[in-house]
């Protein structure tokens, strides 16, 4: 932390936004629309943050795109839903602000730029659709695909996905579900043909199409360009500047490294930290959640387990702490069970956990949760189970050869062998998978149990019990398939899309570790996104949104897009609050223009 003393500022603006993800860019657009000079600085050489790496969903019940389709969720019911899943960890004021401000934010963006087009397609259920206020139709809002050539020179500055798809391959949100049904439906086969056509177009016509998070980040950046909002890349924030020495000062700017020198930036209205979490600060993460040491043991000391933005190392959170900010939920993350291949590549375990002919066991060879549960719940069960002394990290997904031939498993496409295909195809489990140790096989339950280090009698009992339940069509032990959420990636040709008996060997076991989409704990904030001290007093001039703040979802997850939705909503709220404050209270006396000095 620094105070201004007699040092002049090198640059002065009304609002300084740290970070260029969905939360930061939305905040910038809202501040600019309120007539405030706005500057966005980004640590990385690429803009987009974790938003650009994400599925691009934005969870906003009551968004304009829903209302246009005739679906208008009751805000009071949505509030009830959030209050129940957050279990008292989040203030009513923050929850209510999110419920009210998120649809307003979406309406603002649609009206602000022609690039910001949003659509809602019902069917991707909230993660707890059976709870009061939950919805089987879902409230996940998406953006259409976009040709990245619209960015011009900025295209090269968009943060690319960690795992690049073959040229021309992109999935719209609904494509993925149908793609997983390639063996079950003609619509699934149609998606496969659509992907081939997209590859052809990309090679012949030069299309550079992008969807989901890439499209959302690109569209927000295009909207910023329309409004001439400056964005500095390769400009990490190193510390915040306050107007007094000590912990009680107002934040009036920040020090940013640019072109090899420290630049002092004054912010007349405030600083909005949208810099992300501490996804890749492994030392800090191990300090707050020791169970992750087991993941590091499995993935290797030079690798980590997070799908989050590689530049997210907690800079904003640390800077906030130095000026007196309190933190919450630092032991939490947006957990996501994953496969970690020997080269360190992480792969989501999403649809696999909803497949009918599989179950997942811990170190005792026993099931421990509804395998199709929301990924946060599944991961919490892994963590809590590990704390009992029974191995849950890793756990093992058990399936059979029929299932391998019928469903997408581990990225394998269940179609005849295609030479030079970008993903594994054919009828055999790839030898490299088995050689890696990440996938094990056995001709009997006892043989498979030896391979994965669990008791043979227990694994056989678990398999026989699962098959018995699957034949009845109901999981009496864990209620798998009872929720509309469970069914989404299941096999819709079955009475229970999530249950079917395992059949003849060989049997296979896929190792599941604890991955995440980024951390979800951070600076404590109020309903205006203002950063708070431990005594709940406000640090004037400092705001935090997205993964730099403690999640408004608490330790839960309302539905797909429940990270980006709050980041964008509270970015909007923070900017509007700054605009209101600057219209009633002039703080400019603490901030001098470049070349001047304070007395």
């Amino acid at each position: 932390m620094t105070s201004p003393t007699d040092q002049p500022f090198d640059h002065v603006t009304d609002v300084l936004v740290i970070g260029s993800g969905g939360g930061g860019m939305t905040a910038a657009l809202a501040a600019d629309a309120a007539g405030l000079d706005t500057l966005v600085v980004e640590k990385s050489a690429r803009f987009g943050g974790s938003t650009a790496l994400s599925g691009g969903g934005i969870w906003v019940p009551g968004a304009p795109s829903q209302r246009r389709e005739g679906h208008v969720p009751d805000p009071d019911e949505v509030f009830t839903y959030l209050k129940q899943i957050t279990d008292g960890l989040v203030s009513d004021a923050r929850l209510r602000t999110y419920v009210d401000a998120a649809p307003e934010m979406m309406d603002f963006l649609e009206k602000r730029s022609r690039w910001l087009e949003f659509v809602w397609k019902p069917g991707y259920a909230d993660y707890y659709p059976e709870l009061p206020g939950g919805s089987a139709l879902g409230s996940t809002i998406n953006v259409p695909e976009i040709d990245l050539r619209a960015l011009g020179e900025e295209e090269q500055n968009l943060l690319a996905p960690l795992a690049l798809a073959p040229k021309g391959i992109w999935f719209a949100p609904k494509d993925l579900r149908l793609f997983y049904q390639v063996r079950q439906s003609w619509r699934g086969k149609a998606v496969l043909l659509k992907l081939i056509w997209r590859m052809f177009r990309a090679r012949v016509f030069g299309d550079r199409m992008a969807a989901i998070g890439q499209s959302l980040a690109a569209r927000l950046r295009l909207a910023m360009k329309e409004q001439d909002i400056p964005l500095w890349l390769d400009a990490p924030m190193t510390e915040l500047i306050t107007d007094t020495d000590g912990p009680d000062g107002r934040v009036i700017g920040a020090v940013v490294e640019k072109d090899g020198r420290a630049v002092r930036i004054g912010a007349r209205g405030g600083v909005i930290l949208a810099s992300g979490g501490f996804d890749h600060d492994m030392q800090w993460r191990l300090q707050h959640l020791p169970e992750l040491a087991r993941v590091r043991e499995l993935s290797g000391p030079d690798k980590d387990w997070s799908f989050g933005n590689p530049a997210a190392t907690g800079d904003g959170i640390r800077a906030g702490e130095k000026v007196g900010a309190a933190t919450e939920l630092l032991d939490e993350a947006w957990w996501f069970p994953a496969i970690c291949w020997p080269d360190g590549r992480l792969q989501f375990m999403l649809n696999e956990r909803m497949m009918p002919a599989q179950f997942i066991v811990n170190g005792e060879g026993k099931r421990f949760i509804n395998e199709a549960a929301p990924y946060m719940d599944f991961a919490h069960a892994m963590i809590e189970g590990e704390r009992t002394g029974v191995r849950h990290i890793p756990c093992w997904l058990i399936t059979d050869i029929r299932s391998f031939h019928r469903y997408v498993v581990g990225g394998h496409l269940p179609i005849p062998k295609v030479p030079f295909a970008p993903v594994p195809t054919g009828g055999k489990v790839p030898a490299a998978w088995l050689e890696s140790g990440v996938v094990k096989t056995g001709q009997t339950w006892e043989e498979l149990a030896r391979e994965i280090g669990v008791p043979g009698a227990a694994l056989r009992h678990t398999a026989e019990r699962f098959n018995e339940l699957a034949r009845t069509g109901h999981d009496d032990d864990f209620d798998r398939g009872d929720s509309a959420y469970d069914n989404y990636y299941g096999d819709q040709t079955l009475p229970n899309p999530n249950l079917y008996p395992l059949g003849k060997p060989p049997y296979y076991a896929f190792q599941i570790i604890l991955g995440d989409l980024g951390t979800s704990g951070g600076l404590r904030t109020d309903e205006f996104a203002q950063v708070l001290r431990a005594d709940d007093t406000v640090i004037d001039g400092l705001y935090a949104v997205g993964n730099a703040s403690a999640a408004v979802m608490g330790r839960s997850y309302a539905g797909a897009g429940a990270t980006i939705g709050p980041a964008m909503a509270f970015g909007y709220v923070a900017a509007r609050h700054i605009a209101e404050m600057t219209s009633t209270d002039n703080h400019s006396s603490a901030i001098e223009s470049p070349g001047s000095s304070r007395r």
Side-chain angles (χ1 to χ4, degrees), residues 287-348:
Q287 172 188 335
H288 291 289
L289 193 68
E291 284 78 15
L292 289 175
R294 176 60 179 158
V295 185
R296 169 151 276 195
E297 179 184 328
L298 294 164
S299 60
D302 299 326
K303 306 180 183 74
D304 65 57
W305 51 84
S306 181
F307 293 87
N309 178 7
T313 54
D315 304 344
I317 300 172
R318 287 192 181 83
E321 286 185 311
K322 288 179 181 177
V323 298
T327 55
E328 293 178 327
L329 300 176
L330 294 186
D331 61 339
E332 270 297 353
W334 306 114
W335 303 113
F336 211 118
I339 296 175
C340 183
W341 298 104
D343 61 1
R345 178 173 55 89
L346 291 173
Q347 185 166 340
F348 292 135

Side-chain angles (χ1 to χ4, degrees), residues 50 52 125 129 167 197 232 258 266 288 315 319 362 374 405 425 429 473 498-499 584-585:
S50 290
K167 184 178 180 181
W197 170 244
W232 294 1
K258 181 171 172 57
H288 291 289
D315 304 344
N362 59 19
H405 288 160
T425 56
V429 173
N498 305 103
L499 286 182
T584 59
D585 187 8

Side-chain angles (χ1 to χ4, degrees), residues 82 119 188 227 261 267 299 351 384 411 445 590 594:
L82 289 175
V119 295
Q227 306 301 328
R261 69 184 188 93
S299 60
N351 67 294
E384 291 161 10
W445 295 121

Side-chain angles (χ1 to χ4, degrees), residues 243 250 252 267-269 540-541 581-582 585-591:
D243 61 0
R250 171 184 169 80
I252 60 171
R268 286 181 288 255
D540 286 336
M581 295 295 289
T582 54
D585 187 8
N586 185 0
H587 295 288
S588 61
S589 60
I591 303 175

Side-chain angles (χ1 to χ4, degrees), residues 16 54 239 245 285 316 375 411 488 521 549:
L16 174 62
S54 73
E239 57 184 326
D245 294 315
R285 299 200 63 187
Y375 34 87
Y488 188 76
S549 63

Side-chain angles (χ1 to χ4, degrees), residues 20 41-47 157 159 232-236 309 311:
S20 64
V41 298
E42 166 59 49
K43 171 184 180 179
S44 169
R46 304 284 185 266
F47 71 86
N157 296 330
L159 183 62
W232 294 1
L233 298 175
D234 278 320
N309 178 7

Side-chain angles (χ1 to χ4, degrees), residues 492-576:
Q492 305 301 317
T493 67
L494 300 175
N496 184 329
N498 305 103
L499 286 182
Y500 192 85
L502 279 74
K504 297 178 181 179
Y507 304 116
Y508 296 93
F510 288 74
Q511 186 185 78
I512 302 177
I513 70 162
L514 183 64
D516 64 67
L517 305 176
T519 56
S520 60
L523 301 174
R524 185 188 298 175
T525 59
D526 67 7
E527 66 271 27
F528 303 110
Q530 295 179 110
V531 176
L532 303 175
R533 301 181 180 89
D535 62 2
D536 282 343
T537 58
V538 168
I539 299 177
D540 286 336
L542 185 62
Y543 299 77
V545 303
N547 290 348
S549 63
V552 74
M553 295 292 156
R555 296 185 183 275
S556 191
Y557 208 98
T563 54
I564 297 175
M568 294 173 65
F570 281 103
Y572 172 80
V573 166
R576 294 299 297 265

